[in-house]
Amino acid sequence: MSGRSGMRSSTAGAAAAVVCALATTAAALVPTSAGGLGRTPAPRAAHHAQAPADTCVGPEASLRPSTEDGPAVRRIKERGKLIAGIDQNSYRWGYRDPSTGELSGFDIDLVRAIAKSLLGDPDKVIFLAIPTNQRIPALKSGKVDIVARTMTVNCTRIREVAFSTAYFEAGQQLLAPKGSPVKGFDDASLSGRRVCAASGSTAESELAANSHGSTVLHVPNQLDCLVRLQLGQVDAVLTDNALAAGQAAQDPSVGLVGKPFTTEFYGVAMNLGATDLVRRVNAVLEDYRRGGPDSPWMVAYRKWLASADLGITAPPEPKYKD
């Protein structure tokens, strides 16, 4: 859509420049502590989707909570720091606030709650910014203890990593420029158009199963898709509606179109063998949800996400499998 750049206001153009600069550096910047940054080569994007293996029932069911210390919890306590894989460029979820330089967002608040429970101090965290397609490798290699990065629990992923109970419910939805002919996830809207998805994401799997005649561009991080959209290199972005709402808040010239067509539950991911840590994180989530409108979960939701108008009034109910 070559005329798209003409639809941008000067304000949106400035936003694009800022976001583009953020996205260029985000994949290469890895925080080595809660306050410092080290530089590492950005991983190359994977250009194949996950196998569409979502055939199990209730993958969001997790282990019942426990506060007993096992091997994984003891390692964290001996180290004195929780190592968390997070995003630093998803507005409202995990991003570096340009005014303070601090990591902020819904996922960041949850990580700090876990650190406080384990170590008595919400600041005893080493945050590692990891691309979408490196979340599972980082857990398998032991590089991180947990990943709290808008990660959907599904049947493919539970074969490779363990998850907490669900802490958020979202759905796949398209993001497109306002006034765009893209109106929904269907052939009429997408045939012959270009759609962006982050490698290793649920969106990538959905497009692999049915692209509706579109050409798919794969990028390392969700924010990279917003940049491609702003530059007119793609016609739409497919991602979770909760993430897309944050991107729309960054650039008011784009917005959500159509309706969510999946139900996705976010969970905190951990190494498959760290069952004691899974139970401990689930204990933290039980407390995090407790308290109705005054629960820590609702306080965080009102702070970061209520303005996105996602129609959410409470956290998802936990499901257990033992």
Side-chain angles (χ1 to χ4, degrees):
M1 306 294 287
S2 59
R4 179 155 302 138
S5 59
M7 297 164 60
R8 298 287 184 265
S9 66
S10 58
T11 301
V18 172
V19 172
C20 188
L22 283 171
T24 302
T25 58
L29 289 176
V30 179
T32 54
S33 67
L37 286 173
R39 188 169 291 274
T40 188
R44 183 173 293 181
H47 288 276
H48 15 224
Q50 303 170 22
D54 289 339
T55 55
C56 64
V57 177
E60 69 275 12
S62 185
L63 300 174
R64 291 195 176 276
S66 172
T67 56
E68 292 185 10
D69 291 358
V73 172
R74 285 196 294 269
R75 281 194 298 271
I76 295 168
K77 289 186 173 182
E78 288 166 3
R79 186 194 305 130
K81 293 278 188 178
L82 174 69
I83 304 176
I86 50 87
D87 198 350
Q88 68 170 10
N89 54 35
S90 286
Y91 185 51
R92 293 180 170 159
W93 286 96
Y95 73 104
R96 196 168 288 280
D97 188 330
S99 65
T100 64
E102 296 294 322
L103 286 164
S104 303
F106 191 88
D107 280 343
I108 303 303
D109 283 359
L110 178 55
V111 169
R112 293 191 185 280
I114 295 169
K116 183 176 181 180
S117 175
L118 290 172
L119 301 166
D121 186 340
D123 293 324
K124 287 189 174 180
V125 185
I126 297 172
F127 291 106
L128 294 182
I130 51 177
T132 304
N133 64 347
Q134 291 300 304
R135 294 175 296 189
I136 289 176
L139 286 166
K140 284 185 164 184
S141 67
K143 185 176 181 179
V144 297
D145 300 311
I146 65 172
V147 168
R149 197 186 182 285
T150 58
M151 190 169 179
T152 299
V153 184
N154 62 34
C155 295
T156 299
R157 290 172 178 164
I158 62 173
R159 297 188 182 107
E160 299 190 81
V161 296
F163 284 94
S164 70
T165 52
Y167 69 85
F168 202 85
E169 181 179 341
Q172 290 292 306
Q173 195 169 355
L174 285 165
L175 184 76
K178 292 179 178 176
S180 165
V182 175
K183 302 299 181 184
F185 192 68
D186 52 45
D187 292 355
S189 284
L190 297 183
S191 181
R193 302 191 188 277
R194 302 155 297 173
V195 180
C196 186
S199 296
S201 67
T202 310
E204 183 184 52
S205 297
E206 292 291 340
L207 287 163
N210 189 353
S211 69
H212 291 289
S214 65
T215 300
V216 182
L217 173 67
H218 305 269
V219 297
N221 285 299
Q222 302 286 354
L223 187 61
D224 297 326
C225 277
L226 177 59
V227 175
R228 300 303 192 276
L229 188 64
Q230 290 169 325
L231 294 176
Q233 295 175 358
V234 296
D235 302 299
V237 174
L238 183 63
T239 186
D240 303 349
N241 60 344
L243 280 171
Q247 293 179 359
Q250 287 176 285
D251 184 350
S253 69
V254 303
L256 289 162
V257 296
K259 295 181 179 180
F261 58 91
T262 64
T263 299
E264 316 232 339
F265 294 103
Y266 296 163
V268 179
M270 289 153 277
N271 188 282
L272 202 57
T275 55
D276 62 306
L277 183 57
V278 174
R279 294 185 187 277
R280 185 60 178 269
V281 170
N282 283 340
V284 175
L285 286 170
E286 284 285 328
D287 290 338
Y288 207 65
R289 300 183 191 98
R290 188 175 292 120
D294 298 321
S295 68
W297 193 96
M298 286 303 304
V299 170
Y301 180 79
R302 286 194 295 270
K303 179 179 180 181
W304 299 112
L305 300 167
S307 61
D309 195 24
L310 297 171
I312 292 173
T313 58
E317 289 291 329
K319 295 180 181 179
Y320 298 110
K321 60 184 179 183
D322 64 344

